[in-house]
Amino acid sequence: METLEGSKWDIVIAGTGIRESLLALALSRSGKEILHVDNFDKYGGHCAALNLEDAEMWVEQVNRDVNKHSFTVFRNASINTGIEQVSYERGEVQTTRLKSPGDYYLALAPELIYARSALITTFVSSRIEEHLEFLAMGSWWVYTPHGKSFFQMKSQQSQQSQQSQQSQQSQQSQQSHQIPNLKKVPNGREDLFHDESLLSRSKRSLVKFLRFVVDFEEQGKEWESRRQEPFIHFLQTRFGLSGDMLDGVQALAMSSFSAQETTTEYALPRVARHLRSVGVFGQGFGAIIPKYGGLSEVSQVACRALAVGGGVHCLGNGVKEVSLPGTFEQEIKEGETSPRSLKVKLAEGDTVFTNCLIGSQENVPPGLVPDQEKAPAKEEVCFTRSVSVVSSSLEPLFPPLGEDSQPPTGAVVVVPGSVLAAKKDAESTPPVYIIIHSSDTGECPKRQCILYASTASPSASETLTTAINLVLASVAVTEASIATALQSLSLGGDTPQSKSSGSHSSPSILWSMQYEQRCPKTSPKTPSERVHRVPGSNEKVMVFEPEGLDLVFEDEPVLDSVKEAWKAILSFDGAQVDEAGFMKFAPRGGEVMNEE
């Protein structure tokens, strides 16, 4: 459309986050006239994917907006760049540097999707799965520093610096035999039996837990009286798990909170979800990620489905003002049966009319939702997050999953709070999760990878950096060993690599972006609570309540809130809504969605 001024719509959707985009998909065959707008010029909302130039503009926008609205989700954003790395490979000097900004496609909030997720069923029933490509998340790893926390290692280094050079060199030599490493978490009993690092007694304890957790719902007597007990204590006392085994099972829960805050009631279904999903789509993995930016790609595909159904999209032109019913006059043109209920002014100045407005809090005007400005007073959690481009493909973290499985393109590394804190704070310190995407995701060039790190703590950029460096140093030892072995087998002779001390370069960070993201600590419990009806709007204005932040896509909060909004919109004129038809579409008679 050349202009939106004066146009009339049945529905205006504000925002292209995952909920707003799935709602657009659900309404794409409703026959309604729908305008879909967003303040941001990228699809995806909180899960948008950005190239390097987009990221710079996003950082400026975040730091500017945080001074305008107290409810801003992102804050304290910054970028570090300009790093190069020189290495040697096959006798030639190689320089690793950033490529063109457009060669990167970085997700703000990547989430894993488990094979048993209802979202995948929704993709199939709504006929959009053929427009998405999914990749396998591979191994889960836990950082295990041989019994020493980073806090302890730092204290030891401080003591060494005060001793004589000779004594310091001696102690450092001893410490070199205690290099921290990464422990691969078994995905099930088969992995467990092949793990030679575990004692038979430990394996028996883990097998006992695995048998229990796969149908824990049927064994309520074993855990329901302990539902609020820390999961780590339940594992210790009920199954005798300890040490690395505890950290490994905790890692499968994908809980962002500390060991003390992660309850048995919270963790059990999450561990069960992981184990039940393994093998559904292929041997050795249970989680997948959409190619090209994660959930941002899902949002784009869902929005394209609305465009095929006749909807109109307008990015970078969000809702600025809303006039509620009875507060404005509207001209009724010939042929119109009734005026629209709402007047909406967009950021670029156009005024449109609609019978319904629904969107996310960040995409509706401040003050439209009562007490919106007081949102920080609610129980919230602030995450510190980072996105890092690394100069290596980190291949040791992507071992083959099985003979018939696709190659893994992602890995999860967990650095427990016990590694990063003093002993007395071990159980109260949240872990750092590092989700690693290879270049096969389409998010970076070959021979590089992307690290998405997060921890449930504010102002924790240094903690993330420490965790990333520990993991990179651990992988570097393995890469150097592989390089040395390959050199002795195939190169031989005097090469720059054999002449130079430490000539194999360690993986390093070429570019990184840090920011904080805040959200409610818990999500609303019921569908009606997840969709707020604005008073005075005759339920014509609805706002999706903020959801808790998770590293894994949660079916219930997202899909239930979308279904609640879908039912409300379709029943405005008194029509009966067939709930069984939610997101279930027949093939479109040969129509193909455009890529634009």
Side-chain angles (χ1 to χ4, degrees):
M1 298 180 66
E2 293 184 2
T3 179
L4 294 171
E5 179 61 35
S7 57
K8 297 187 178 182
W9 307 87
D10 295 317
I11 306 159
V12 173
I13 301 175
T16 58
I18 189 65
R19 290 182 296 179
E20 298 87 64
S21 298
L22 288 176
L23 177 61
L25 171 63
L27 294 168
S28 61
R29 303 197 189 188
S30 65
K32 304 288 186 182
E33 295 182 336
I34 302 173
L35 174 64
H36 197 173
V37 300
D38 197 313
N39 292 327
F40 195 35
D41 62 357
K42 303 293 178 186
Y43 290 99
H46 300 163
C47 298
L50 313 173
N51 65 34
L52 300 189
E53 289 181 347
D54 294 333
E56 291 183 1
M57 292 186 287
W58 180 81
V59 166
E60 292 179 2
Q61 179 179 328
V62 165
N63 294 330
R64 181 176 63 249
D65 289 351
V66 76
N67 296 319
K68 293 181 179 179
H69 309 299
S70 61
F71 55 85
T72 304
V73 172
F74 295 106
R75 57 182 57 200
N76 298 334
S78 63
I79 290 177
N80 296 319
T81 187
I83 306 171
E84 288 187 0
Q85 182 188 36
V86 177
S87 60
Y88 297 96
E89 183 175 337
R90 299 189 180 278
E92 298 181 358
V93 176
Q94 305 285 330
T95 301
T96 304
R97 57 167 64 93
L98 287 175
K99 306 299 182 183
S100 169
D103 290 335
Y104 299 88
Y105 204 51
L106 311 176
L108 290 177
E111 293 183 5
L112 313 184
I113 304 173
Y114 274 108
R116 298 288 187 186
S117 171
L119 183 63
I120 296 175
T121 305
T122 298
F123 292 154
V124 175
S125 65
S126 63
R127 307 288 174 175
I128 67 168
E129 87 286 352
E130 62 191 69
H131 303 283
L132 294 165
E133 183 175 351
F134 297 100
L135 306 171
M137 283 297 298
S139 302
W140 262 242
W141 305 83
V142 174
Y143 187 85
T144 57
H146 297 296
K148 290 185 178 180
S149 71
F150 178 71
F151 179 87
Q152 291 170 314
M153 289 189 285
K154 257 184 114 175
S155 298
Q156 185 178 38
Q157 291 170 2
S158 177
Q159 293 170 6
Q160 288 175 346
S161 68
Q162 300 174 13
Q163 299 172 351
S164 66
Q165 183 70 23
Q166 182 178 0
S167 175
Q168 184 184 41
Q169 291 175 348
S170 174
Q171 290 190 22
Q172 286 176 341
S173 175
Q174 294 175 8
Q175 198 176 39
S176 67
H177 299 288
Q178 298 181 342
I179 299 174
N181 56 28
L182 295 173
K183 174 73 175 175
K184 188 173 179 293
V185 180
N187 258 334
R189 279 182 284 184
E190 184 176 345
D191 278 356
L192 192 58
F193 291 137
H194 288 91
D195 191 336
E196 298 179 357
S197 67
L198 290 174
L199 300 175
S200 296
R201 181 179 177 181
S202 299
K203 288 186 178 181
R204 286 195 296 270
S205 296
L206 272 175
V207 168
K208 187 177 179 181
F209 170 73
L210 293 176
R211 286 174 175 166
F212 160 78
V213 75
V214 291
D215 64 348
F216 76 95
E217 297 95 339
E218 307 300 321
Q219 304 180 61
K221 292 181 180 180
E222 297 286 340
W223 65 274
E224 286 184 348
S225 63
R226 308 174 66 177
R227 61 173 67 239
Q228 294 304 316
E229 182 178 332
F231 187 49
I232 191 170
H233 295 170
F234 175 72
L235 295 175
Q236 289 171 324
T237 58
R238 174 64 180 80
F239 299 98
L241 301 186
S242 61
D244 294 349
M245 293 187 296
L246 279 176
D247 290 333
V249 173
Q250 287 261 100
L252 297 184
M254 293 293 286
S255 171
S256 297
F257 303 107
S258 68
Q260 192 66 40
E261 290 182 293
T262 301
T263 64
T264 299
E265 180 182 38
Y266 178 79
L268 277 179
R270 297 171 72 91
V271 176
R273 173 182 60 187
H274 179 99
L275 297 172
R276 291 166 181 168
S277 294
V278 173
V280 172
F281 293 137
Q283 183 180 353
F285 71 96
I288 57 176
I289 49 176
K291 191 174 183 179
Y292 305 120
L295 290 181
S296 170
E297 182 68 7
V298 174
S299 291
Q300 291 191 56
V301 170
C303 290
R304 286 201 294 267
L306 176 63
V308 171
V312 174
H313 292 95
C314 192
L315 297 179
N317 188 19
V319 175
K320 184 178 181 180
E321 297 176 6
V322 177
S323 298
L324 298 179
T327 63
F328 64 94
E329 294 183 0
Q330 179 183 171
E331 179 184 354
I332 301 178
K333 296 182 180 179
E334 185 176 352
E336 290 184 343
T337 57
S338 62
R340 299 300 192 265
S341 303
L342 307 167
K343 182 170 74 171
V344 177
K345 186 174 182 179
L346 302 179
E348 292 186 357
D350 291 331
T351 296
V352 302
F353 300 90
T354 181
N355 279 329
C356 173
L357 169 67
I358 182 167
S360 61
Q361 277 199 3
E362 304 77 46
N363 278 277
V364 298
L368 186 61
V369 178
D371 297 328
Q372 192 175 38
E373 294 289 347
K374 299 179 181 179
K378 298 177 182 179
E379 188 177 10
E380 292 186 331
V381 61
C382 183
F383 285 76
T384 302
R385 312 191 73 153
S386 70
V387 183
S388 302
V389 179
V390 173
S391 65
S392 165
S393 59
L394 301 184
E395 289 186 16
L397 294 177
F398 300 91
L401 300 173
E403 293 182 1
D404 300 325
S405 287
Q406 59 176 292
T409 57
V412 176
V413 180
V414 184
V415 182
S418 58
V419 172
L420 300 165
K423 185 175 181 180
K424 64 183 178 63
D425 299 321
E427 290 191 10
S428 61
T429 301
V432 171
Y433 277 86
I434 305 174
I435 298 176
I436 304 171
H437 288 187
S438 76
S439 60
D440 290 335
T441 60
E443 296 173 16
C444 65
K446 296 291 185 182
R447 303 166 61 84
Q448 296 179 11
C449 67
I450 307 298
L451 272 58
Y452 298 100
S454 68
T455 188
S457 181
S459 305
S461 292
E462 290 187 9
T463 300
L464 295 187
T465 300
T466 295
I468 290 171
N469 287 339
L470 289 173
V471 171
L472 293 183
S474 193
V475 175
V477 174
T478 305
E479 287 188 329
S481 299
I482 293 173
T484 301
L486 290 174
Q487 179 184 336
S488 64
L489 289 172
S490 61
L491 296 180
D494 291 335
T495 69
Q497 198 168 22
S498 61
K499 289 180 180 179
S500 175
S501 174
S503 57
H504 177 81
S505 58
S506 298
S508 62
I509 298 174
L510 302 175
W511 181 97
S512 67
M513 177 171 67
Q514 298 82 33
Y515 50 96
E516 293 178 0
Q517 182 175 359
R518 67 191 185 110
C519 63
K521 192 167 186 178
T522 58
S523 298
K525 299 297 184 183
T526 65
S528 60
E529 291 176 343
R530 293 174 180 137
V531 181
H532 174 73
R533 275 76 167 177
V534 175
S537 70
N538 297 331
E539 299 194 353
K540 301 294 187 180
V541 179
M542 295 178 285
V543 181
F544 286 120
E545 290 288 345
E547 299 287 351
L549 184 64
D550 207 321
L551 301 173
V552 177
F553 181 84
E554 288 290 329
D555 293 338
E556 188 174 306
V558 175
L559 295 179
D560 282 3
S561 60
V562 172
K563 187 174 183 179
E564 177 73 10
W566 171 80
K567 289 191 301 181
I569 291 170
L570 294 185
S571 62
F572 275 162
D573 56 3
Q576 294 295 317
V577 179
D578 179 12
E579 295 187 27
F582 178 63
M583 291 286 196
K584 294 181 180 178
F585 302 145
R588 276 191 184 272
E591 290 187 32
V592 179
M593 285 193 289
N594 295 324
E595 291 303 314
E596 295 298 324

